[in-house]
Amino acid sequence: MKKFLFYLFNFWPPFLGAGITVTQISDDLLSMRVRLKKRFWTSTLLKAQFGGSIFAMTDPIYAAILTTHLGKEYVVWDHSASIEFLKPGRSELFSDFKLEKQEIDKLKIQLVSERKMIWQKTIQVFDIKNELIAVVTKKIHIRHKNQK
């Protein structure tokens, strides 16, 4: 599954075209590192990384991790997101995505009684100097397939 996710993300046209790569996936599939390469087609006229590309690098990762660990009996999809740009990203950018097994277990327990929920996570985007460039807040809708 790790190899499948690695190839899926790295050859997925929206990532491939935007210069986005998944550089690391943990063996337990609970964490990933994503990189946005600095290319002329991912830059603005002011030589900063395009905000849409910054957002795109953060878009599907947590939903993929949750889908993998919650299983086929749950529907996982993006509900909403916001991004706060703190400074221009003028180099390659990186984001780390990590969930703990306990978080997944807690979600499963919560979904037994609630059957559907909005889960929220904050993602930080850093440059090669480890300076914070942007903060993305993702809200993900999770529900049992039998729940409408």
Side-chain angles (χ1 to χ4, degrees), residues 21-79:
T21 55
V22 173
T23 60
Q24 296 173 3
I25 301 176
S26 65
D27 290 337
D28 61 6
L29 306 176
L30 285 170
S31 66
M32 295 185 196
R33 176 165 253 228
V34 179
R35 174 181 67 190
L36 173 60
K37 297 175 188 174
K38 181 75 161 108
R39 301 286 191 252
F40 76 90
W41 64 85
T42 65
S43 299
T44 67
L45 293 174
L46 301 173
K47 308 286 191 251
Q49 291 277 31
F50 176 62
S53 296
I54 296 171
F55 179 75
M57 74 184 283
T58 67
D59 189 30
I61 304 299
Y62 276 126
I65 292 171
L66 288 170
T67 298
T68 300
H69 286 279
L70 291 175
K72 294 179 181 181
E73 61 198 47
Y74 292 96
V75 174
V76 178
W77 52 272
D78 287 325
H79 180 270

Side-chain angles (χ1 to χ4, degrees), residues 71-121:
K72 294 179 181 181
E73 61 198 47
Y74 292 96
V75 174
V76 178
W77 52 272
D78 287 325
H79 180 270
S80 63
S82 65
I83 187 167
E84 181 180 0
F85 299 103
L86 304 174
K87 63 190 310 183
R90 299 194 188 279
S91 66
E92 289 187 354
L93 302 179
F94 300 89
S95 282
D96 290 311
F97 299 80
K98 182 160 181 53
L99 290 178
E100 300 293 332
K101 175 89 169 81
Q102 295 83 354
E103 287 178 89
I104 301 292
D105 293 342
K106 184 179 173 184
L107 283 173
K108 286 180 178 179
I109 291 168
Q110 195 172 349
L111 286 162
V112 167
S113 61
E114 294 183 28
R115 307 292 286 175
K116 65 180 177 179
M117 63 184 294
I118 302 296
W119 179 82
Q120 182 173 308
K121 196 73 166 178

